[in-house]
Amino acid sequence: MAEMVKKCPECSGINLFWNREKGEIICRDCGLVIEDKMVDFTQEWREFDSSQAETKRRTGAPMTFTQYDQGLGTEVGQKSDLFKLGGAERNKFFRLRKWQYRISTAIERNLKLALAELKRVSSFLKLPKSVEEEASRIYTLAVQRGLVRGRSMESVVAGALYAACRRHEVPRTLDELSEASGIEKKEIGRTYRFVTRELGLTILPSNPADYIARFASALKLSAETQSKAIEILEKAQKIELTSGRGPTGIASAALYVSALIHGEKRTQREVADVAGVTEVTIRNRYKELLEELNLEKDIKKTKKKKKR
DNA sequence: AAGACGAAAGTGGTTGA
DNA sequence: TCAACAACTTTCGTCTT
């Protein structure tokens, strides 16, 4: 009995990702959340002032970084504490509370705006919830360390998202982030580097294989072609053809070759557009792949097959 | 005619003195 | 801080299918 392979109902991709913590199954190709056990009936979470917080905030809320203070706030004292204090102490108390209020409202305001923007960009790119959560966490940390100062809020948001994508092995290119957020590519790259360095986030160099699934589905290539492309990538990595080169270029070249081998030819132009690189780059990588992995025979084989 | 190929010049980013 | 450098892009002419 053949086991049923789960497919994404949206794009029928097979590259599904099970996020155990959140109980979600996510399609890595199109970002669709396929199974989400926690049906979300929650009310609108935004609070506009502390009185609304009283009515809108629910006790026992899950701690989340998409909420500006992770759903948990700290305040300097309550009025009832005042009875315990003397005059000088009392003044100090008010001063502290005033400052606390000022600082927290400034950060709060920033976070509310930023997280709204973050959600917008995230949903535009159809990113899974787990990535959005991670990005929110990164952004929150960045704000707390004052890393946003001197930079536009949007660019830090984009940088945080970019970092979160890489950490969750669902990389998006800088171009995609740029399109979604309206921030220049180099600006995103800069804030991304800055933020990750300052926060000491370790980011693995992105793996070309992570791009394959998404590019392949955009080009409507078969699953066999996909796995062949990944196979090629692995070989290429072993002989260190991949180091130092842009991961998208390598991924697209591998995909291009693999499509040729399986007789599902796509033009260099098509692959280049999807991957966000130029034909020239594909050609260069493609040439290297052919030379180093002697794949010519595989391609010739499929050509002969076609003639018959 | 379209796609593939390759050369040449330009760009943005990294590295090492 | 500056220059050398590698990767990648843009542009354009030529070859192949």
Side-chain angles (χ1 to χ4, degrees):
Chain A
M1 194 186 195
E3 194 178 324
M4 279 290 289
V5 178
K6 255 208 156 137
K7 285 190 179 180
C8 170
E10 179 75 18
C11 66
S12 57
I14 51 164
N15 201 319
L16 304 184
F17 174 65
W18 183 19
N19 183 329
R20 287 158 192 268
E21 289 159 39
K22 306 215 86 176
E24 294 174 341
I25 295 178
I26 295 152
C27 174
R28 274 192 174 151
D29 299 343
C30 64
L32 181 75
V33 177
I34 295 155
E35 251 171 57
D36 186 352
K37 295 274 164 51
M38 302 163 64
V39 181
D40 194 0
F41 289 122
T42 51
Q43 62 205 42
E44 183 57 45
W45 273 93
R46 285 208 268 174
E47 301 156 11
F48 296 94
D49 57 44
S50 54
S51 70
Q52 283 188 23
E54 293 296 316
T55 57
K56 292 203 172 186
R57 195 184 283 172
R58 301 195 303 184
T59 48
M63 195 180 98
T64 168
F65 279 94
T66 50
Q67 201 60 28
Y68 71 89
D69 60 357
Q70 299 118 64
L72 310 165
T74 311
E75 280 169 28
V76 173
Q78 298 284 323
K79 285 228 173 91
S80 57
D81 298 330
L82 274 178
F83 295 111
K84 301 167 194 160
L85 304 171
E89 286 291 293
R90 184 179 291 214
N91 282 337
K92 191 179 172 189
F93 173 86
F94 279 122
R95 269 206 326 278
L96 282 175
R97 208 166 71 155
K98 194 171 177 184
W99 274 106
Q100 155 88 24
Y101 180 75
R102 279 187 192 164
I103 293 167
S104 64
T105 50
I107 291 182
E108 224 171 82
R109 246 199 308 276
N110 184 323
L111 275 173
K112 270 177 194 163
L113 276 170
L115 294 182
E117 168 71 6
L118 193 147
K119 277 184 184 169
R120 215 206 83 233
V121 177
S122 166
S123 74
F124 184 89
L125 290 170
K126 301 183 177 174
L127 294 172
K129 274 276 178 330
S130 53
V131 172
E132 190 180 311
E133 183 87 7
E134 173 87 8
S136 305
R137 209 190 99 230
I138 294 171
Y139 187 87
T140 307
L141 288 173
V143 171
Q144 285 167 355
R145 304 241 191 133
L147 303 179
V148 186
R149 192 167 303 190
R151 254 163 279 270
S152 79
M153 188 199 83
E154 289 93 340
S155 70
V156 180
V157 165
L161 272 167
Y162 182 67
C165 285
R166 300 248 320 236
R167 295 197 110 195
H168 285 250
E169 296 179 345
V170 283
R172 302 291 120 137
T173 61
L174 280 176
D175 281 310
E176 290 169 295
L177 255 307
S178 173
E179 201 208 321
S181 64
I183 306 289
E184 269 184 75
K185 208 170 108 182
K186 54 179 177 180
E187 180 65 24
I188 299 178
R190 217 175 351 181
T191 51
Y192 156 74
R193 269 194 305 279
F194 179 74
V195 168
T196 49
R197 187 160 37 84
E198 291 297 315
L199 296 180
L201 298 175
T202 49
I203 310 265
L204 311 165
S206 66
N207 182 352
D210 294 331
Y211 289 101
I212 291 287
R214 209 153 43 85
F215 293 166
S217 81
L219 291 165
K220 300 194 169 65
L221 290 168
S222 68
E224 295 81 56
T225 306
Q226 267 192 54
S227 48
K228 181 73 185 172
I230 289 173
E231 195 184 307
I232 293 172
L233 277 179
E234 280 167 2
K235 281 188 198 161
Q237 272 168 344
K238 271 194 188 132
I239 50 175
E240 288 175 345
L241 260 187
T242 57
S243 67
R245 279 89 201 283
T248 49
I250 297 171
S252 48
L255 212 46
Y256 176 70
V257 179
S258 162
L260 281 183
I261 292 175
H262 283 92
E264 298 184 301
K265 176 154 183 176
R266 298 291 182 277
T267 64
Q268 294 179 352
R269 176 84 259 146
E270 288 172 301
V271 182
D273 282 343
V274 168
V277 296
T278 59
E279 300 161 75
V280 183
T281 303
I282 292 186
R283 277 203 290 277
N284 292 335
R285 295 295 90 80
Y286 165 67
K287 213 171 66 184
E288 290 166 2
L289 286 177
L290 288 190
E291 281 167 12
E292 303 296 325
L293 301 174
N294 53 313
L295 293 161
E296 290 100 329
K297 47 184 180 180
D298 294 320
I299 296 174
K300 278 174 191 163
K301 265 184 214 164
T302 58
K303 273 188 184 171
K304 279 178 190 169
K305 270 185 196 168
K306 264 193 171 176
K307 281 181 182 174
R308 278 175 214 160

